[in-house]
Amino acid sequence: MTAPLLEIRGLTRTFGGGRRWFGPQRPGVQAVQGIDLDVLRGETLGIVGESGCGKSTLARLLVGLDAPTAGSIRYAGEDLQALRRRDRHALSRRIQYVFQDPLSSLNPRRRIRDILAAPLRHLRGMRGQGLERRLGELLEVVNLRPEFIDRYPHEFSGGQAQRIGIARALAAEPELLVLDEPVSALDVSVQAQVLKLLRRLKAEFDLTYLFISHDLSVVETISDRIAVMYFGRVIEQAPARALFRTPAHPYTRLLLGSAPVPGGPAIQAESGDAELPDPLAPPPGCAFAPRCPRARAHCRGAPPPLDPLSGRERHAAACYYPVEGAWQRQAPPPP
Amino acid sequence: MMAFLRLLARNRLAAFGGIVLLLLLLLALITPWLPLLDPDVTDPANRLQTPFSAGHPLGTDALGRDILSRLLWGTRVSLAVGIAASLVAALVGSLIGIVAGYFGGRTDNLLMRGIDMLMAFPYILLALAIVAVLGPGLMNALYAIAIVNIPFFARNIRGVTVGIAHREFIDAARLSGKGNLRILSSEILPNVLPIIVVTLSTTVGWMILETAGLSFLGLGAQPPQADLGSMLGEGRRMMINAPHVAMLPGLAIFILVMSINLLGDGVRDALDPRLKSGALSRPAPITRIRRGAAPPGDGRQGRADGLLAVDDLRTDFEVGRTTYHAVNGVSFAIGANECLGLVGESGSGKSVTALSLMGLVASPPGVITGGRVWLGGRDLLALPPRGIRRLRGREVAYVFQDPLSTLHPLIRVGDQLVEAIRQHQPLSRPAARELAVSLLDRVRIPNAQRRADQYPHELSGGMRQRVGIAMALANDPELIIADEPTTALDVTVQAQILALIQRLRTEKGTSVLFITHDFGVVSQICDRVAVMYAGRIVEIGPTAEILETPRHPYTRRLIDCVPRLGEPDNEPEAIPGLPPAADALPRGCAFADRCDLVEPACRQGEIELIATDAERRVRCIKPLGIPTAASQGESR
């Protein structure tokens, strides 16, 4: 097996905290807590989780919009922070980002030409004729008409704007694209168009994707491997098929059981409180234990490590009592 | 730019101010070439001439100088100093504001505390102090006025910049390789420029007044140079015996500042994005209704069809000369204890339909142009505003998508519930409070007593939506209209909210109109479903049947384009193209351009909603799965 393109080890990001001029040490919020993750060249790694699980913080750390508090990210064997220090643009030439909200990620007062030309000019040093030619290519690659180049963002629909966002990310000729909920803000009919485009681009440009979403069905269709996050940690990681066939963590099972499918059986609803723990005072043990029907005393002691499951290939779960067997939608509980 | 000028011209006062200011500016510009007497030549023999005297149309002052000439030259000086001071203040102030707002942290703290110190002095005192240090003189007065006004720009621009600096396009620019300087100049500046112009236009008049004030005190223009303030100061001494000497410059200042302020207000209204979005025009308490003469149908139909019956509802948005047809003849009925799903993509008119039922579409620009809404035998759209207000929240209640924006952020959730209850029920405060807590309890909020005393921001998204539902239940409505109530929530929370709505239906017998874009949610909760496209219902019928055998090509494609959990090989199929624009709806089927089964007949004339099965109707001339063409079934 070749070395992974991206090696994430013990990645942690704490917000706030520290000392004021006076007063005691204040606790910080650990948005991301000691994440270990590998991304292989050419694969699509899906990251699933609900709001507040730290998936967007992880994305911002990877593209350099934020710096980790602890831990390391290595890109093709090279430390990301060192790379950034050496050359501000080096990271952006390798890893690019696609934003969730296509319209708010485009400056309303700049033409599409200016928006797309910026990475070409500043990251790839293009000028004049070459730049013009490349602009045309970029629009063509994402199926937009060439005359769109002189328009302003508000003249586009959500799907078109997202394609401009993708074109901007591709302009830097990156090897890895971090896609942060790229289709969540779009209508369902447009979602499918953008997903199709992303699939085509990946094959065409040999890209590696880190695809972040809260929507399980979208992640399932596009990912090779999936990592499930909860409260700042990866709690389960497996090849996509295996994850959906035999989810091992009770939280993954809850997520799957909560997603309504058209014409499918009734979904389960938790009877208790579906609240996340207080991020300022995280529980000492497994963060999911308060919601978990299988939790025992042991779970509340120390957080379970993300360990490979015996007998299942490349499947790991952070649970002391992983669930065995195939997953099936349950019939609604008797009233 | 043209749109801006047109907006400005429509504001009569601003246009008037603009014309007056233009005339004054023109006059000031051509003053050197006008056949005027020298403004500084004294002529003691002709002192204090009254206006309309020979050779001096506006008379002379105490030293016999021609007032008309001094007035024009003085206006020139005052305008130049005022505008120059404004530009200096705008430049320096905006620079400080942008830098402070963009970099934040320590830079922001340092710069803004400096600005605060500047603001701590009364402005005229500060100006006096600056002039005292620099010495009297027009240039020094200019500096003083500029410095005094820097905080005004700095604070304003900083506020706007802070809002922009955290937007995603700034992150995107950084990832495109732009440095801080480039981001400031090419991303942030274009977005704050309108605000700078607005601030500038509203302060120029003020600055001219301040300059005149300093000159009036003898600290600005020095004799013999004329400016409006110093003329006023000189005239003050002979107010009794020669009032015109002071009154004429006073009048000039008044006209000048008034014209600038009128124009400035107009510029602000035309440029400010907050005002452009219609925040100035207070919407009417009920949507404007302009139905044609005697719409068809009578009261009986409403009763026959159950709880609520909507008949040929039409809602338009009239913006300028364009009319957007958001709802184009929507008809449906909801029976007692039924849940009807209204499904469609954004822009399909589903939310506008829901809001139109109780006249909640903002007017202007919304207008209900046709149709009837029957509730319990009454046509809601024929009720007076007072009558429809009495029904809102009591018989029909709404639950909206984002509870954070529908709950008041500064009022405890319990008090908001009490308010909703007491609006319709004659309960004392403690009794209403008790009911509020029991409502929170009923929507399964743990520890309701304590939660009632919390503010909306202290609750999680799911809890807030429960409060929204509790508020809708406050007066035991017969119908709850839920507009995408779970779209903003996580799936596990969504599952709980759906279970809650389901339970309330069985317990209370409430009917629900459930608006969503998600067929998965529909199949969980709705008995029947209506699919909307381009402001029309294209298919309506029992949920299970429609999901199993969709009859309209749009319904089928809409179901097919959503990836289904557990079927990763089943690649979702995109629908090509975009929905038609609401101001240019095509003749015939609105979906024709995107449909793979289209034929010429689809584009010819109105297509009716026809019955295909016992309880199903579809707006298509070739419904899927129906062998013979549209001939069968009664049309409606």
Side-chain angles (χ1 to χ4, degrees):
Chain A
M1 208 173 97
T2 53
L5 184 65
L6 202 62
E7 281 175 278
I8 302 169
R9 291 289 172 269
L11 191 68
T12 300
R13 175 70 173 103
T14 311
F15 290 108
R19 270 168 177 282
R20 286 197 179 213
W21 286 2
F22 305 104
Q25 180 85 25
R26 291 170 308 154
V29 174
Q30 291 211 325
V32 170
Q33 310 177 21
I35 285 187
D36 297 331
L37 210 57
D38 286 344
V39 184
L40 306 179
R41 193 179 285 274
E43 78 168 344
T44 299
L45 175 67
I47 299 211
V48 184
E50 296 185 286
S51 49
C53 73
K55 54 191 194 299
S56 288
T57 307
L58 173 66
R60 292 176 63 86
L61 289 171
L62 291 180
V63 295
L65 284 172
D66 200 354
T69 315
S72 71
I73 308 169
R74 298 180 83 78
Y75 182 89
E78 205 174 351
D79 185 64
L80 218 60
Q81 303 309 317
L83 192 72
R84 264 178 80 191
R85 268 196 298 279
R86 212 180 57 224
D87 176 1
R88 187 157 63 86
H89 296 328
L91 176 58
S92 296
R93 275 190 218 114
R94 291 173 173 80
I95 308 182
Q96 273 290 336
Y97 190 60
V98 175
F99 291 84
Q100 168 170 7
D101 185 346
L103 277 175
S104 76
S105 63
L106 302 176
N107 188 341
R109 295 192 177 267
R110 311 283 295 171
R111 289 172 199 276
I112 302 311
R113 172 189 299 282
D114 305 322
I115 291 173
L116 291 182
L120 296 177
R121 222 174 256 143
H122 305 307
L123 295 176
R124 289 288 159 195
M126 287 191 177
R127 295 281 181 281
Q129 284 269 288
L131 186 124
E132 276 309 305
R133 203 169 337 110
R134 186 86 177 96
L135 282 176
E137 281 172 23
L138 279 173
L139 281 188
E140 202 184 307
V141 152
V142 295
N143 301 336
L144 287 174
R145 289 209 293 274
E147 66 260 30
F148 285 177
I149 191 103
D150 281 320
R151 297 199 187 162
Y152 286 98
H154 68 87
E155 295 173 63
F156 294 93
S157 69
Q160 290 169 332
Q162 191 58 294
R163 277 187 255 169
I164 294 167
I166 293 170
R168 170 173 58 195
L170 290 177
E173 297 167 48
E175 293 170 298
L176 175 73
L177 268 193
V178 176
L179 303 129
D180 189 0
E181 305 257 13
V183 298
S184 307
L186 307 177
D187 264 319
V188 284
S189 70
V190 183
Q191 242 180 42
Q193 293 174 12
V194 172
L195 285 174
K196 200 168 167 183
L197 172 73
L198 286 173
R199 249 189 230 110
R200 200 196 77 216
L201 293 175
K202 181 168 182 268
E204 215 171 306
F205 298 104
D206 290 325
L207 294 167
T208 305
Y209 283 169
L210 196 86
F211 192 101
I212 297 173
S213 178
H214 70 278
D215 189 332
L216 289 159
S217 48
V218 169
V219 169
E220 186 188 18
T221 58
I222 200 156
S223 307
D224 302 314
R225 271 190 324 131
I226 295 176
V228 184
M229 284 184 71
Y230 185 74
F231 203 63
R233 292 174 193 276
V234 174
I235 54 112
E236 185 163 5
Q237 192 185 326
R241 297 292 165 89
L243 186 90
F244 283 85
R245 210 180 311 118
T246 55
H249 199 286
Y251 175 65
T252 313
R253 295 215 164 205
L254 174 69
L255 266 187
L256 288 172
S258 303
V261 174
I267 52 177
Q268 311 155 263
E270 283 171 277
S271 49
D273 215 348
E275 305 256 319
L276 290 173
D278 181 2
L280 284 170
C286 172
F288 187 61
R291 290 167 74 178
C292 185
R294 301 162 62 89
R296 297 180 218 173
H298 182 40
C299 297
R300 299 177 215 276
L306 184 67
D307 283 336
L309 296 170
S310 58
R312 301 198 211 170
E313 204 189 338
R314 295 161 65 210
H315 195 153
C319 185
Y320 292 121
Y321 309 104
V323 192
E324 297 288 330
W327 177 75
Q328 234 177 348
R329 268 175 195 284
Q330 286 170 358
Chain B
M1 194 62 203
M2 275 322 283
F4 163 69
L5 286 179
R6 220 173 299 131
L7 262 176
L8 202 58
R10 223 189 309 159
N11 185 340
R12 293 237 178 95
L13 276 175
F16 170 72
I19 289 168
V20 172
L21 183 64
L22 214 63
L23 285 176
L24 286 172
L25 280 175
L26 208 67
L27 219 53
L29 279 177
I30 61 168
T31 299
W33 293 280
L34 289 180
L36 292 169
L37 297 168
D38 190 321
D40 300 336
V41 170
T42 56
D43 182 8
N46 275 327
R47 63 192 295 266
L48 294 181
Q49 296 257 356
T50 50
F52 308 114
S53 50
H56 302 291
L58 293 180
T60 56
D61 67 2
L63 296 174
R65 295 174 293 197
D66 183 54
I67 291 186
L68 177 64
S69 168
R70 281 182 75 76
L71 210 55
L72 286 176
W73 283 96
T75 305
R76 202 174 140 86
V77 171
S78 286
L79 265 173
V81 172
I83 292 173
S86 308
L87 287 177
V88 172
L91 195 73
V92 179
S94 306
L95 192 68
I96 293 176
I98 288 183
V99 169
Y102 176 69
F103 288 103
R106 238 170 245 161
T107 318
D108 182 29
N109 241 328
L110 203 70
L111 285 172
M112 292 326 281
R113 292 304 81 78
I115 293 294
D116 286 349
M117 275 195 276
L118 214 52
M119 287 194 90
F121 295 100
Y123 78 92
I124 195 79
L125 206 67
L126 184 61
L128 284 175
I130 295 170
V131 172
V133 170
L134 297 176
L138 209 50
M139 267 329 258
N140 293 343
L142 189 155
Y143 295 142
I145 301 294
I147 291 172
V148 163
N149 282 286
I150 284 175
F152 193 63
F153 283 92
R155 292 195 142 198
N156 235 335
I157 301 306
R158 177 192 170 263
V160 179
T161 309
V162 166
I164 293 170
H166 294 285
R167 298 269 294 278
E168 285 184 339
F169 64 78
I170 302 296
D171 282 341
R174 203 164 288 144
L175 292 178
S176 297
K178 288 191 174 183
N180 284 333
L181 206 62
R182 277 218 175 83
I183 289 178
L184 279 177
S185 63
S186 71
E187 304 284 333
I188 293 200
L189 188 63
N191 282 291
V192 294
L193 207 55
I195 308 293
I196 298 179
V197 172
V198 165
T199 318
L200 197 60
S201 66
T202 45
T203 42
V204 173
W206 183 237
M207 303 261 223
I208 289 177
L209 221 50
E210 283 176 4
T211 321
L214 283 184
S215 291
F216 179 83
L217 296 174
L219 299 169
Q222 297 302 308
Q225 191 181 29
D227 99 318
L228 294 176
S230 61
M231 287 175 71
L232 199 61
E234 288 160 12
R236 181 180 57 106
R237 273 166 291 183
M238 49 215 81
M239 198 64 197
I240 307 295
N241 46 11
H244 69 278
V245 180
M247 239 147 76
L248 287 169
L251 202 65
I253 293 176
F254 167 71
I255 293 174
L256 188 61
V257 173
M258 181 202 66
S259 67
I260 290 176
N261 284 350
L262 285 178
L263 180 67
D265 282 356
V267 168
R268 184 196 58 207
D269 291 358
L271 271 186
D272 198 326
R274 282 161 297 184
L275 301 176
K276 216 186 282 179
S277 64
L280 261 195
S281 52
R282 197 162 58 94
I286 173 169
T287 310
R288 205 147 69 87
I289 297 170
R290 194 183 58 215
R291 295 190 288 188
D298 56 59
R300 241 179 260 147
Q301 190 195 352
R303 275 190 286 271
D305 277 11
L307 179 69
L308 175 95
V310 178
D311 191 20
D312 200 32
L313 182 71
R314 286 166 193 277
T315 305
D316 290 348
F317 289 99
E318 295 175 349
V319 183
R321 255 173 251 158
T322 337
T323 304
Y324 299 93
H325 304 284
V327 180
N328 303 304
V330 163
S331 307
F332 61 86
I334 300 178
N337 199 15
E338 190 186 28
C339 179
L340 174 71
L342 207 52
V343 181
E345 297 178 83
S346 51
S348 63
K350 52 194 195 305
S351 288
V352 181
T353 303
L355 290 173
S356 299
L357 301 184
M358 296 303 276
L360 284 171
V361 178
S363 267
V367 185
I368 294 176
T369 55
R372 286 167 182 261
V373 177
W374 299 107
L375 182 76
R378 279 167 304 185
D379 179 6
L380 296 185
L381 300 182
L383 290 179
R386 194 179 257 285
I388 206 160
R389 235 182 66 199
R390 264 203 290 273
L391 295 179
R392 285 179 185 164
R394 195 175 69 186
E395 292 187 26
V396 179
Y398 283 84
V399 177
F400 293 99
Q401 173 172 348
D402 180 9
L404 192 55
S405 62
T406 45
L407 292 175
H408 196 296
L410 298 179
I411 302 179
R412 295 170 205 277
V413 294
D415 293 341
Q416 298 192 47
L417 277 167
V418 166
E419 191 190 4
I421 293 166
R422 292 192 3 134
Q423 189 69 37
H424 292 295
Q425 298 177 42
L427 287 178
S428 69
R429 230 162 215 296
R433 160 90 190 182
E434 209 168 294
L435 181 57
V437 172
S438 80
L439 282 168
L440 289 179
D441 212 32
R442 204 189 303 160
V443 294
R444 296 257 170 106
I445 290 186
N447 209 345
Q449 193 77 36
R450 194 173 60 84
R451 292 285 185 177
D453 284 330
Q454 289 188 317
Y455 291 97
H457 72 265
E458 297 177 82
L459 305 176
S460 67
M463 285 296 155
R464 278 197 290 267
Q465 194 56 290
R466 281 166 198 260
V467 173
I469 293 173
M471 196 171 286
L473 292 174
N475 298 293
D476 276 326
E478 293 176 67
L479 173 68
I480 291 180
I481 298 177
D483 191 351
E484 305 248 13
T486 59
T487 305
L489 305 176
D490 283 323
V491 277
T492 54
V493 182
Q494 166 172 287
Q496 289 186 320
I497 297 287
L498 292 179
L500 171 68
I501 294 176
Q502 201 65 290
R503 213 188 70 233
L504 292 171
R505 269 181 67 205
T506 39
E507 281 174 9
K508 295 285 217 176
T510 319
S511 305
V512 180
L513 177 63
F514 197 101
I515 298 163
T516 179
H517 64 276
D518 187 340
F519 269 111
V521 173
V522 165
S523 81
Q524 287 296 319
I525 193 163
C526 299
D527 305 314
R528 285 192 307 138
V529 59
V531 182
M532 282 192 77
Y533 186 77
R536 290 190 159 163
I537 290 180
V538 295
E539 180 159 14
I540 182 167
T543 307
E545 287 181 35
I546 285 190
L547 284 171
E548 189 65 30
T549 55
R551 296 270 187 249
H552 198 284
Y554 175 65
T555 316
R556 196 199 65 198
R557 303 213 59 166
L558 192 63
I559 295 173
D560 283 351
C561 71
V562 188
R564 294 163 72 97
L565 197 62
E567 299 171 23
D569 298 322
N570 202 347
E571 194 176 316
E573 220 181 310
I575 309 179
L578 292 171
D583 59 338
L585 292 174
R587 252 164 69 84
C589 178
F591 187 63
D593 285 343
R594 304 171 75 186
C595 185
D596 47 5
L597 304 170
V598 64
E599 52 184 61
C602 294
R603 300 182 207 268
Q604 279 155 17
E606 211 67 343
I607 293 169
E608 298 291 326
L609 204 55
I610 54 165
T612 52
D613 306 71
E615 291 177 77
R616 300 181 59 176
R617 279 179 285 139
V618 59
R619 195 184 293 277
C620 183
I621 55 170
K622 269 198 325 188
L624 301 168
I626 301 278
T628 47
S631 56
Q632 59 170 297
E634 38 108 29
S635 77
R636 202 199 121 115

